[in-house]
Amino acid sequence: MKIESYSFGKITISGKTYTSDVIIYPDSVDPSWWRDEGHMLSIKDLQAVLAAKPETLVVGSGYYGMMRVPGETKSFLLSSGIEVRIEQTSRAVELYNDLSGKNRNVIAALHLTC
């Protein structure tokens, strides 16, 4: 999967445009991802990601970086053997494209607004 473009509230992945938050897996996109607490990322919000067992999780914290990732979420992911990279979404898009282009097992969870 390749992210072709991103702007506030809109992302194009492998030729398809989405206007809601997404999780990008190596072979699919989940366009219905939402968190229990809109601007807070919890372990519960990442159950499908945990089941997929990525090497790296790239988290896009939003256009302005408003989505927070608490320490306990980061710690749980790290203890599960998942490297966590948290960036504002525009930078997360670049990072995801770079890592996935190197044949790494990477998943991206991207907040598209705020």
Side-chain angles (χ1 to χ4, degrees):
M1 309 247 78
K2 176 154 175 58
I3 302 171
E4 296 159 4
S5 67
Y6 165 71
S7 60
F8 186 92
K10 184 176 169 183
I11 192 165
T12 302
I13 306 162
S14 298
K16 184 166 182 183
T17 300
Y18 301 89
T19 57
S20 61
D21 294 354
V22 296
I23 297 180
I24 306 170
Y25 297 94
D27 58 357
S28 66
V29 176
D30 176 358
S32 63
W33 180 56
W34 191 248
R35 291 148 315 282
D36 279 347
E37 297 180 42
H39 287 110
M40 187 74 62
L41 183 62
S42 73
I43 298 160
K44 183 179 177 185
D45 302 323
L46 297 171
Q47 293 306 304
V49 170
L50 291 167
K53 299 180 183 191
E55 179 181 335
T56 304
L57 173 63
V58 175
V59 176
S61 62
Y63 191 85
Y64 300 108
M66 298 296 291
M67 186 181 74
R68 301 288 171 232
V69 183
E72 64 260 14
T73 301
K74 289 185 235 179
S75 295
F76 183 83
L77 290 165
L78 291 170
S79 70
S80 299
I82 300 170
E83 176 189 12
V84 183
R85 305 282 296 271
I86 304 161
E87 302 282 350
Q88 287 184 331
T89 301
S90 58
R91 174 67 186 118
V93 163
E94 294 171 5
L95 182 59
Y96 170 82
N97 279 339
D98 181 55
L99 293 174
S100 65
K102 295 177 179 173
N103 270 340
R104 292 189 57 187
N105 180 9
V106 61
I107 291 175
L110 305 174
H111 179 52
L112 301 185
T113 58
C114 313

